[in-house]
Amino acid sequence: MHLGFELPTPNASAWRLLPNRWDFVAFPLIIGAIAVAAIGFHQTLAPIATLHTQAISLDPSNLPEYALRTTLRMLAAMVASLIFTLTYGTLAAKSRRAGKVLVPILDILQSVPVLGYISFTVTFFIALFPTRVAGAECAAIFAIFTSQAWNMTFSFYQSLRTVPRDLDEVSRSFHLTAWQRFWKLEVPFSMPGLIWNMMMSMSGGWFFVVASEAITVGNHSITLPGIGAYVALAIDQQDLHAIGWVILAMTVVILAYDQFLFRPLVAWSDKFRMETTSSGEAPESWLLDLIRRTRLIHRLLVPGAWLLATAARLPFRIRAPSFPKMVPAIPRPSSRVADAIWSLLILVAAVVVAWRVVNFVSTGVGWPDVGHVFLMGMITLLRVVVLIVIASVIWVPLGVLIGLRPALAEKIQPLAQFLAAFPANLLFPVFVVVIVRYHLNPDIWLSPLIVLGTQWYILFNVVAGATSYPNDFKEAATNFRIRGWQWWRQVMLPGIFPYYVTGAITASGGAWNASIVAEAVTWGHHDVVAHGLGSYIAAATVAGDYPRIILGIAIMSLIVTLFNRLLWRPMYAYAEEKLRLN
């Protein structure tokens, strides 16, 4: 008897598990990624003696292997930076007492140059793995991590501090725990800005990849196979053909991780935009569309997605202080006493650290050296301020233009990543030849190298701010016919201001880092040195003079921290109170 319907059969269920044509396209990509990661991990287990027997070669045929190893180091550093960002940024934003310590420490950490970290971490990591390449790899990854993490952490911190109050109140009305609110509201709200800063951090890592792969500190010299070591050797041998090949290799790598990593993330994060109307244009990714069209791979990913969603909904009770309200409550006496004790502990710890630093530095330098280093710091500060102002005037309008047009952003994204990733070292031939030939002043003409890699922090953050700006507000401005300067002053600049402050802070910190490379330039036998704190620290690092290294880093950290306290932190507070989306 025919009943008019058919029961599901085992064959039908099995058919739904069979791969479709999109699976056959996606599977090789996944297998290739796994194989690349496995090869990279196997290379870290090789004996450290291989670093001495396998010398870096300028043969272009070696560039694919070098590019692969550099990319794996940068991805490992990116994973570590993301974990650090979610942990550190949350503690700094949600705990008032922890924030008093963590935010100034973050200011100091971003001001410490990469060479400063390398000076003290190479020996430590090699001691962990004395017979394996893993020690040197960890030192390089940590150096790249220090060029990525601070930017991402500042972005996440800014997002947590500016979550719209109405959304926060809705989450509380649904009785979400702090754990649920974190994963359901705060992380999604921060995702668009965080991903654009991840792109900037990934590209910014290329700027210091030479220092991380070709390490020279005193008597220690370690060279890891990679793009950075290739660039260092090409500069040393003045090989312009090798520099041309490495630029081509970098272009291919940047396009690859743009297509396979960041473009899918940007398209995925678009669903977290805070708006109730459609934006008309949405970013697209062929890879994300490919994964969505697969049958078997999609079903294999479902259990993992279900586990993550379930973990985000678990009602963990984690005590997390709420953000300050418009009218702060009067603290209880017990709270005042606890704050006083906490502040006293912080002060004592700071005094102890300062005393230890002074004792160590005094063994190798005197008060005249301190005055000289402080003067060098003021010269570098002047360069940084002037260059940040110029970069802001240029990139804020362009960033808004790009961010409001997703189609344009997709076209500009790989170009911006390439320009941000372009190491200043590759421009040394041009700057050195021009300065030497025309007898130009290095104090002026080396300055553009400082902002070459750091100006993009401003652009990427402004693009992130414009991208995440609610479409509802834009339509309201259009309906009210708000145009011209009024549109900039009352609509767009307030909306992107928190993102701009984050970009300016990280650009400023990055500029101080870049001064190590930009104020002391070498091309073959030609050395061009500008006056400044960066060239002082670079010379002390090469000489292995640890008292002078610490003195330079301490002065740099002090200047950057004071500058952030006097300028950027008040601007952050203004953005939180006055320009927060409600």
Side-chain angles (χ1 to χ4, degrees), residues 134 187 240:
V187 170
L240 293 176

Side-chain angles (χ1 to χ4, degrees), residues 324-405:
K325 304 299 182 184
M326 291 297 293
V327 181
I330 299 175
R332 294 174 296 178
S334 59
S335 178
R336 290 201 198 100
V337 172
D339 287 344
I341 294 174
W342 181 248
S343 300
L344 181 61
L345 291 174
I346 295 173
L347 179 61
V348 170
V351 170
V352 170
V353 171
W355 182 255
R356 295 290 299 271
V357 169
V358 169
N359 278 344
F360 182 80
V361 170
S362 62
T363 60
V365 299
W367 286 110
D369 295 302
V370 175
H372 171 72
V373 174
F374 191 80
L375 177 61
M376 294 297 101
M378 291 295 103
I379 294 174
T380 302
L381 174 63
L382 178 61
R383 287 197 186 100
V384 170
V385 170
V386 171
L387 293 170
I388 293 299
V389 170
I390 294 173
S392 299
V393 171
I394 295 173
W395 294 117
V396 168
L398 290 178
V400 171
L401 176 68
I402 295 170
L404 294 180
R405 295 165 175 79

Side-chain angles (χ1 to χ4, degrees), residues 196 395 397-410 412-413 416 459 463 466-467:
W196 277 93
W395 294 117
L398 290 178
V400 171
L401 176 68
I402 295 170
L404 294 180
R405 295 165 175 79
L408 178 61
E410 286 187 11
I412 296 295
Q413 183 177 319
L459 173 64
V463 170
T467 301

Side-chain angles (χ1 to χ4, degrees), residues 71-85:
T71 304
L72 288 175
R73 292 183 192 113
M74 297 181 71
L75 289 175
M78 178 61 65
V79 172
S81 299
L82 186 59
I83 296 173
F84 177 87
T85 294

Side-chain angles (χ1 to χ4, degrees), residues 84 88 92 99-113 117 146 150-151 153-154 157 501-502 504-506 508-510 512-513 553-570 572:
F84 177 87
Y88 196 101
K100 291 181 179 180
V101 180
L102 297 181
V103 175
I105 288 177
L106 193 61
D107 289 335
I108 295 173
L109 288 174
Q110 73 150 348
S111 66
V112 176
Y117 291 108
T146 61
W150 323 137
N151 174 51
T153 304
F154 271 118
Y157 171 82
V501 175
T502 298
I505 289 177
T506 50
S508 176
W512 283 94
N513 254 301
I553 293 173
I555 295 295
M556 181 177 287
S557 301
L558 177 63
I559 294 174
V560 173
T561 303
L562 291 176
F563 190 71
N564 288 351
R565 289 282 113 188
L566 297 175
L567 178 64
W568 299 125
R569 290 301 153 202
Y572 246 139

